[in-house]
Structures are given as structure tokens and as C-alpha cells.
Amino acid sequence: MYLNKVFLDPHLDHPTHVRIVYEHVDFLMLIDIHDEKAWPYRVNLDEFESLSLEAVPDPILLATPEAGSKAEEIRDRAYRSVALLLTDYFALFDKKLRNQKIKSVLEATDESRLYVTRQLRRYWQRGLSPDSLAPDYTKCGAPGQNRLAIQKTGSKRTVSHGEGLAITDEIASLFKLAIEGFYLVNNDVDLKGARTKANGFIKSKYPKVKKEDLPTYRQFRYFYNKNYAKPLVVQARTPSIQYAKDVTPSHSTSTTNNFGPGARYEIDATIADLHLVSGHDPDRIVGRPIVYKVKDVFSRMTVGLYVGLENPSWATASIALAHAFCDKVEYCRRFGIEITESDWPSIGTPATITADRGELLGKHGDILVNRFGITLSNTRAYRGDDKGIVEKSFHMMHVDILPYVKGKVEPVNGKKKAGKRTELSANLTLYDFTKMVIISEINRNTSIPLEGYDFESDMPADLAAIPVRLWHWGVKNRTGVLREVDPKFTYVNMLPHSKATISPSGICFKGMYYTCAEAVELGWFHKNRSVPRPKSLEVAYDPLNTNVLYVRPDNKFDSVWECTLQSRSRRYQDMSLVEAMSIQSESRSTYSEAQQEADYQAPDLQNELEMIAQVAEKRQKSSDLSNNSQRLSGIRNNREQEKKSERQKNRESAKSPKKKEAATVTSIHSGKQVEQGFDYPDLDDF
């Protein structure tokens, strides 16, 4: 009950730690564990309990020596001498009997009496075990204190000349200045460069120092290793953002704090590492596509996608989120992929969405919070590891797709070894690439097990770490069904919004004209200005589909008018918004070039017209004209004469210059001759 326990005795002048080295029914044997000359003394059990001493943790921590070490030899030697005394343990507490046993040990060994008594005392004071006799090497030296020598320590030089320089406080301060002010703050500097900087400081402070007295690299390296711990050096030499993201150890995983499917979604975008061509003209290279992904943290399932040419923003992120909330069957069917709802079961809104800060600002962020009840979580600046699951998935997408496509982005200058631009080999359209991404994500969702997935204790051992299986298990056993939403209204409200203008030609958005039954019924397109119509209104648009536009007549969630593209804008049918904008830009450029050519030719036309007018004016002035009344009264007759003259000119110009012999013609009409005239017809006959 009490044996080997340590108690604090506060009744003495100086509080003392005592150890119980023997326990009897009526008494205990105690020893002061810090007194170098202490021997055990007897205390009756009733007296000991009446003292109410405080039991404390053992202040002496024992270390087991390494096998084959010097410390092990010292421990074993000490224990051999003590073990001979322990054969009759109780007799050691009687001074006379103890001296007799020590004498017998001295006769059997070559040890001195002082050594044996010291080891016996250490055995009692330090814990009654063989390890209590091991040397305390950890207490050797002067921990935390630097020993400075007047003369250089260590072996003497045998190759280079001189005796070297002792590392005094002044030299140590210069070493420290070179390490902390040059080495730790500059990743391009190695330790030898820092030692060169330190020697420069020494030469500046001691101009007369000899070359053989400069500290060696070995001295500098010893000082560095002794005073600068490796983890602190790595932290000091690594930028804080990079250290926090790539170096500092991870103590948990994303799944730990996400109880089930829909607990947290992560969304992020990347620029795919390949180039695409236009689906309407393979000769036109449209650049690299943007891919948005929405990932469920618990199951690692890809729950939403966006593949397009729009830059990363809320406009594109909202489409990916709308896709994440709604059914995926119809979306896949648009690309010729047939799936069932169980193949891609992520329908509904999650509890939390984690995204970059810029993508969750504005009106649509309010819709997520106030309408759908979703908590928004922003990542820290430059901390992609805050949403590491979706970040990693982009790499896996490239692993699946890039081996089979052309037009890949090369790491150096975008060129192949032969110097040819890789963009020129591109042949995939946006439709093709989107289909490849969908197939890749479905395969990873339904077939490929996750590596290193951290299972909870209640998850069965026969549950494979495949995203769709984890999702179904989590819905059944954890969070249940996600909150359902109306697909159409959710999709429209999540789309990017902008302004459109109204004119008799229709609802104009981005140079394209739309119409809808509601606007026609209100008479917005009447040319009569007495019918009132707004100058502009808010619309929602799908950047991937120019065929449809959604008018938002008010701020209600379920107030939507669906508009279709007019025939006057049929040129932009079945396109993405980026492709339509590209055609408009090219058309404006073509019109601008044609207008420049017309402007260049206009002065020549103007000069020619002016010359004709001047000739007519000179001819009129040189003619003998009648009086004004005669000229005005003869207009009708003059017109008739001019018509006859013009007809005669046309007849003459219509005649062939040479007559050819006519061929013999036999009439097919039996005995009936029809006379036909071939004179130039009079225009008045028509």
C-alpha cells in the first residue's frame, strides 16, 4: 500500500521528500531521498498516518540505459554489489547487521566500502529498482549555459597552418548575426555562404586578423547545430504561408468534423491543362476551359460540375452549385450519357459550403443563407489546404483525361520540343471535354475506392471507401436525406443575374433579342409609345445556353418568365454565351474593317460626283435657254420626246452587230401561220 511511494513531510524545517523502502504490519521504514548521508529510519504506522503526509508524484524520473552502452555497464556493476546485500533485505535496516553484510560483500568483490554504501543508498532513495543505479548523464554538463574558452579547444591542426580562433562572446555574436540576418532569411544562401558572411564581419571588426586565425567551417557548423534547432530553422527559412500550408504537420482530416453526406460541400475552380476548338468552326481555337467542382467532404463524391469558358466568378460558381442541388440525370442526358438517380444521388442543399471569399460575396450569397439556410465558410488567404479535397480532385481529373487528348498545355513556354505551339494540335470541343469530365467523375464516384480514407469507429468493415457507397451509407445511418428544393426555381435563382433592355424589337441582352408570352401580353413590344414599358429589367442567364433567358419581374423567389431567342438572333442559337460574344466581337471587327474601306473610298466617289455636277453646270451655262414660262410649259412634250429617243437607243443597243443566217424552221402547227413581231416592247404595255 505504501511501499516505494513518496510523501512530502511539511513538519520539518525544510519540507522533505521521503520514500517508503519497507512496509510492515506495525511500522514503515522511510528515507530522505535528497540527503547524501541518509539512512532508513523507523516510523510506527499509527504515527505515520497521524502525520497526514501528502503523497506526491515521484520526483525522480528513471531512464533505462541503451543496450551495450556505457551507462548499462555502470548500472549492472552497481546492481551486482547491491544484489548481494538484498538476499536478507530486512537485516539491512539494522546498522550492525548491515555492516556485517557490507563486509562480506567487500570480501567477495573488489569494490570499496564507500562505493557499496553509496550504491545501496541510491537504490533506496531512487526507487528500489536496478535502473535506479544508472548514471544520470542527462544532468551532466551545464544545460542552457555556454562554456567559453580563452583558447581554441579541440584537436590541433595537422594540415592547415595556425592555431585557430576561440569562439568568444564577440565571435559568437558575429556568427549569430550572419546566421539570423543572412542565412535564415534567404533561402538561396547555404551554410558555407553564411560562414563567409560571418568571416566578413570578423575582418571588418578585426582588420588585422590573420587568415589562419579565421574560424573554420567546422567551428561555424558546430555553433549552428548547437544553437539552432532544425524545426525552427525550417520554419524561419520557409515563407509563413507556405509553411502553414505545406510544412506544418496535420493533426486531423476533413472528415473528422463532418458527420455525414451534406454536412459540408467544398467548391473551387481550375483552368484545365488543355486547349479547345470551337464547336461551330474547328479552325477557331477558343483556349483553355474552366472547370468548377463541388465535392462532399464526408463521401468525397463530386456532387456538382461546371465546364465552360467563363472566368471563375460567382456567375460560374452558381451554376456548379445549382447543378449540385438538383438531379443529374437530365444533365447527363444532354451529353448522351444515361444514368439513374442512384448512380449520382446527390440531390438537395447541404448544411455548409466552403469556398474562396470572392465567390460568396453579393446577392447570391444572401440567397444561399436566407433562402436555403446554408452556412457559408470562407477559406483563408493563400490556404488551398482549407479545401484540400476539391483541390486534389483536379489533379485526378487531369490524370484521367490528359493521356488521351491533344492540345495539352506544356510546362515550358507552351511549346513542344520541335517548337510547335501545342494549341495547334487541339481538336476537342467544349462539348467533348465536358462529356469526358462527366464520365471521369461518374467513374470515380461509383467505382474507384479512396486511398487513406479515415473511417469512423461505427462504420462497418465491409463498407468499401467508394464515394457513392459512402454516400448511401451516410444518408441511411447519419444525416438522412438532404433538404429538397424545387429544381427549376433553384436553378434560376442560382444563375448569374444582369440587366436587359426592352424595345419594339424585343428584350435585348448582350446583343441578342428574346421574347416571351408575358411581355407580349403586356404590349411591351408595340411600336406605339402610348403603351408603357420599362426601359430595363433584371434577367437571369445561363452562360452555357443562349437559347433561353429568364426575366425576373420582381424580387420574389418563384417569379420567373421564360424567354426564347427570336428569329432575328438565330445566328446565336445553340451556343454558349462566350461563343456568341466571340462571334459578335468578330462581326464588329469585320464591320469596322469594311467601314474603314468605305471611308477610304468615299473621297474618290465624292470627287467623281462633284465633277459630273460641274460638267452639267458648265453645259447648262453654255446653252441658249428659252424663257422660264416656255421651259415650264413644255415639260410633258419634252418627256414624251425623251422617252421615244431613249427607246430608240435601247433598240439599237439590243441589236446584234452581225446577222447570222437563220436556220430552216418547220412549224409544228398544222397549216396555221402565226405572225409574230419582234420589235422592242413598249414599256407602257406592262
Side-chain angles (χ1 to χ4, degrees):
M1 182 176 179
Y2 291 111
L3 184 63
N4 204 29
K5 290 186 176 181
V6 178
F7 293 86
L8 178 63
D9 187 355
H11 304 293
L12 302 177
D13 296 338
H14 300 286
T16 303
H17 289 90
V18 295
R19 184 185 302 276
I20 310 298
V21 295
Y22 183 77
E23 180 179 8
H24 194 266
V25 178
D26 298 326
F27 64 91
L28 302 173
M29 298 300 297
L30 286 64
I31 189 172
D32 187 339
I33 66 175
H34 298 301
D35 188 356
E36 295 180 355
K37 298 181 179 181
W39 288 106
Y41 60 92
R42 175 172 173 164
V43 176
N44 290 333
L45 185 60
D46 295 338
E47 181 184 358
F48 178 82
E49 292 178 350
S50 65
L51 294 176
S52 300
L53 301 184
E54 178 185 358
V56 296
D58 197 332
I60 299 177
L61 302 178
L62 302 179
T64 301
E66 295 183 4
S69 64
K70 181 68 175 178
E72 185 184 45
E73 295 179 6
I74 296 176
R75 181 200 65 184
D76 294 344
R77 173 194 170 191
Y79 187 69
R80 282 195 296 269
S81 61
V82 172
L84 297 175
L85 299 174
L86 299 179
T87 55
D88 188 2
Y89 186 70
F90 182 72
L92 296 176
F93 301 114
D94 181 270
K95 183 178 180 180
K96 183 177 179 181
L97 297 176
R98 181 173 64 242
N99 289 332
Q100 292 178 358
K101 292 183 68 66
I102 292 175
K103 184 177 180 181
S104 62
V105 170
L106 296 179
E107 294 176 352
T109 64
D110 296 334
E111 305 294 352
S112 64
R113 179 182 179 85
L114 179 61
Y115 176 81
V116 174
T117 55
R118 181 176 294 173
Q119 300 309 319
L120 178 60
R121 186 180 291 114
R122 281 170 54 85
Y123 177 82
W124 280 329
Q125 291 178 325
R126 293 166 54 85
L128 310 177
S129 68
D131 281 347
S132 63
L133 302 176
D136 292 331
Y137 283 155
T138 56
K139 297 181 179 180
C140 296
Q145 300 179 11
N146 292 325
R147 297 182 177 182
L148 298 177
I150 300 177
Q151 295 182 349
K152 180 180 178 300
T153 58
S155 59
K156 294 184 179 181
R157 297 178 179 178
T158 58
V159 178
S160 56
H161 301 288
E163 296 182 356
L165 186 68
I167 307 304
T168 62
D169 285 338
E170 292 181 343
I171 301 300
S173 65
L174 297 179
F175 280 4
K176 187 176 181 180
L177 181 62
I179 293 173
E180 297 180 1
F182 189 62
Y183 176 73
L184 296 182
V185 299
N186 193 339
N187 243 355
D188 297 327
V189 177
D190 58 7
L191 200 59
K192 290 185 177 180
R195 179 245 179 175
T196 302
K197 178 66 72 172
N199 285 346
F201 292 153
I202 294 173
K203 290 176 66 176
S204 298
K205 189 167 185 178
Y206 306 103
K208 297 183 180 181
V209 66
K210 298 179 181 179
K211 60 182 180 180
E212 57 267 21
D213 289 337
L214 288 176
T216 63
Y217 175 67
R218 184 177 179 182
Q219 285 179 293
F220 185 80
R221 186 180 60 190
Y222 175 81
F223 178 86
Y224 165 76
N225 291 332
K226 178 181 178 182
N227 294 279
Y228 295 91
K230 294 294 183 182
L232 298 179
V233 171
V234 172
Q235 183 175 359
R237 300 198 70 184
T238 307
S240 58
I241 295 175
Q242 181 182 350
Y243 180 83
K245 181 170 68 74
D246 300 329
V247 179
T248 188
S250 299
H251 301 290
S252 184
T253 64
S254 300
T255 313
T256 303
N257 298 321
N258 295 282
F259 187 69
R264 180 180 298 274
Y265 283 176
E266 294 179 356
I267 179 171
D268 198 17
T270 191
I271 303 175
D273 292 340
L274 79 163
H275 296 274
L276 303 179
V277 297
S278 172
H280 299 275
D281 184 3
D283 188 53
R284 298 172 56 199
I285 302 172
V286 298
R288 299 166 63 182
I290 304 298
V291 180
Y292 259 100
K293 282 190 183 183
V294 185
K295 300 282 287 188
D296 175 60
V297 174
F298 174 80
S299 65
R300 307 292 201 273
M301 178 186 289
T302 299
V303 295
L305 277 177
Y306 164 83
V307 183
L309 301 176
E310 296 284 349
N311 291 328
S313 64
W314 170 257
T316 44
S318 61
I319 300 175
L321 289 174
H323 180 252
F325 299 164
C326 302
D327 188 10
K328 318 297 187 299
V329 176
E330 181 59 32
Y331 174 76
C332 293
R333 187 174 292 123
R334 286 164 48 190
F335 296 91
I337 303 172
E338 293 294 334
I339 64 170
T340 62
E341 184 177 320
S342 61
D343 293 330
W344 207 337
S346 55
I347 302 174
T349 58
T352 305
I353 295 176
T354 299
D356 294 329
R357 182 173 180 270
E359 293 166 347
L360 296 181
L361 295 177
K363 172 184 175 181
H364 293 81
D366 296 336
I367 290 177
L368 290 175
V369 174
N370 300 325
R371 179 68 189 185
F372 298 113
I374 298 173
T375 301
L376 303 184
S377 174
N378 295 324
T379 59
R380 295 168 289 180
Y382 305 103
R383 292 300 300 273
D385 55 322
D386 285 349
K387 43 183 172 56
I389 292 175
V390 67
E391 292 276 3
K392 180 65 176 178
S393 70
F394 291 126
H395 169 71
M396 304 311 299
M397 176 192 70
H398 286 129
V399 169
D400 289 345
I401 296 176
L402 291 188
Y404 310 102
V405 301
K406 295 183 179 180
K408 293 178 285 189
V409 176
E410 296 294 333
V412 181
N413 297 331
K415 295 183 179 181
K416 296 181 179 178
K417 293 181 179 180
K420 185 178 179 181
R421 298 285 298 189
T422 57
E423 295 93 325
L424 298 175
S425 62
N427 55 14
L428 286 181
T429 64
L430 181 61
Y431 179 92
D432 299 330
F433 179 66
T434 305
K435 187 173 182 178
M436 295 182 78
V437 173
I438 294 174
I439 293 173
S440 170
E441 295 305 321
I442 292 176
N443 180 58
R444 289 198 169 271
N445 282 349
T446 59
S447 301
I448 301 179
L450 302 168
E451 295 183 5
Y453 184 84
D454 51 329
F455 287 89
E456 294 285 353
S457 58
D458 62 333
M459 301 177 76
D462 60 350
L463 176 62
I466 297 174
V468 70
R469 298 188 187 181
L470 293 172
W471 178 280
H472 286 305
W473 183 89
V475 168
K476 182 179 180 180
N477 298 280
R478 290 288 183 84
T479 56
V481 181
L482 279 73
R483 290 170 289 178
E484 294 185 358
V485 292
D486 185 277
K488 178 181 178 181
F489 294 132
T490 299
Y491 176 75
V492 173
N493 280 274
M494 295 298 294
L495 288 176
H497 285 51
S498 185
K499 292 290 184 181
T501 59
I502 304 176
S503 69
S505 299
I507 300 173
C508 182
F509 175 72
K510 304 291 186 182
M512 296 174 287
Y513 287 89
Y514 295 83
T515 184
C516 64
E518 293 83 357
V520 171
E521 184 178 353
L522 292 174
W524 283 2
F525 306 143
H526 287 182
K527 296 179 181 179
N528 191 337
R529 292 184 176 273
S530 61
V531 179
R533 62 170 175 258
K535 293 183 179 180
S536 64
L537 73 166
E538 189 174 29
V539 295
Y541 63 93
D542 186 349
L544 299 178
N545 185 10
T546 57
N547 296 340
V548 181
L549 189 72
Y550 302 96
V551 172
R552 309 304 305 275
D554 50 43
N555 293 325
K556 295 181 180 179
F557 179 82
D558 54 355
S559 182
V560 177
W561 298 350
E562 185 172 336
C563 303
T564 56
L565 192 68
Q566 286 191 1
S567 59
R568 70 170 59 231
S569 298
R570 60 189 179 278
R571 183 181 191 182
Y572 309 111
Q573 192 169 5
D574 299 327
M575 289 186 180
S576 67
L577 188 62
V578 171
E579 290 177 305
M581 296 297 100
S582 176
I583 291 177
Q584 290 183 0
S585 176
E586 190 171 345
S587 298
R588 286 192 295 267
S589 178
T590 303
Y591 175 82
S592 178
E593 292 178 3
Q595 185 63 46
Q596 287 178 347
E597 182 66 23
D599 293 341
Y600 183 77
Q601 299 291 343
D604 298 336
L605 173 63
Q606 190 179 55
N607 291 335
E608 189 173 354
L609 296 175
E610 288 177 350
M611 289 178 64
I612 296 172
Q614 290 173 4
V615 170
E617 185 178 359
K618 290 180 180 180
R619 183 179 63 244
Q620 192 74 356
K621 288 182 179 180
S622 63
S623 302
D624 187 11
L625 303 177
S626 304
N627 58 42
N628 293 341
S629 60
Q630 291 177 345
R631 295 182 67 194
L632 292 173
S633 62
I635 293 178
R636 183 180 295 275
N637 293 332
N638 295 338
R639 180 180 179 86
E640 291 298 326
Q641 293 177 4
E642 192 68 23
K643 285 171 60 178
K644 292 179 180 179
S645 175
E646 186 68 20
R647 289 170 180 171
Q648 185 61 33
K649 290 180 181 180
N650 290 336
R651 292 190 188 102
E652 294 176 355
S653 64
K655 293 179 180 179
S656 56
K658 293 182 180 181
K659 291 186 177 180
K660 297 183 179 179
E661 294 183 0
T664 302
V665 179
T666 301
S667 177
I668 63 174
H669 300 283
S670 59
K672 186 178 180 181
Q673 299 293 329
V674 180
E675 295 182 358
Q676 297 183 3
F678 295 98
D679 293 336
Y680 196 87
D682 194 333
L683 294 179
D684 293 336
D685 296 337
F686 291 95

